[in-house]
Amino acid sequence: MSVENYDDIINLPHQVSGTHRHMTGRDRAAQFAPFAALVGHSDAINETGRLTDEETEVLEDKIEEINRKIFVALSATEPPKICVSYFEADRKKEGGAYLSHDGVLKKMDVYEDTLEFEDGFKVTLSKIRDINGDIYL
């Protein structure tokens, strides 16, 4: 038997199973794909490493300033364009992020405790941290 050049088997006919269908190249490749024993592990690590901000308490004088700015914006003859800075809680972990939204103020909904913009965006009044705009200059 020649081990180096496989002369004893090199010219044998290709064996075809009579009971099993021929496996596609894609299915054969799937057999050799890496085994993922820890499915979702890297997602969990990434989620743990994602930073969130802690929500700070709004002081009473800042609440009064925000309420005054809302009153001024709602009393304007034309709906003003303002920028609202607010805190949004994270859905997956403790904390959240400070975000802002620019838009034309539409109304304040007392029952929902929200400010609504013409583009449909709503922000909860208690989550507002600041309001800015040309109307306040």
Side-chain angles (χ1 to χ4, degrees), residues 6 8 19 22 26 30 38-39 41 44 55 59 71 75 83-84 96 101-102 104 111 117-118 123 129 131 133:
Y6 302 100
D8 59 331
T19 57
H22 180 69
R26 183 181 185 99
L38 300 174
V39 174
H41 185 267
E55 184 175 12
L59 300 176
F71 178 77
S75 301
C83 178
V84 177
H101 180 79
D102 293 324
V104 177
Y111 297 108
F117 290 78
E118 287 186 352
V123 61
R129 296 300 180 257
I131 300 177

Side-chain angles (χ1 to χ4, degrees), residues 8-60:
D8 59 331
I9 63 169
I10 199 78
N11 292 319
L12 291 176
H14 178 70
Q15 190 173 15
V16 178
S17 172
T19 57
H20 300 287
R21 66 177 181 83
H22 180 69
M23 189 179 285
T24 66
R26 183 181 185 99
D27 290 340
R28 286 180 55 79
Q31 292 182 98
F32 301 103
F35 177 67
L38 300 174
V39 174
H41 185 267
S42 63
D43 292 337
I45 289 173
N46 291 339
E47 179 61 28
T48 302
R50 189 171 56 85
L51 299 177
T52 57
D53 293 322
E54 186 177 323
E55 184 175 12
T56 58
E57 187 176 337
V58 183
L59 300 176
E60 193 65 37

Side-chain angles (χ1 to χ4, degrees), residues 65-84 103-108 115-118 125 128 131-136:
E65 178 188 339
I66 291 169
N67 288 338
R68 183 181 50 75
K69 286 183 173 183
I70 291 171
F71 178 77
V72 168
L74 292 171
S75 301
T77 54
E78 287 189 35
K81 183 174 181 178
I82 60 173
C83 178
V84 177
V104 177
L105 184 62
K106 181 178 178 183
K107 67 178 183 175
M108 180 173 77
L115 279 185
E116 185 176 339
F117 290 78
E118 287 186 352
L125 292 171
I128 295 174
I131 300 177
N132 293 305
D134 292 341
I135 193 169
Y136 306 117

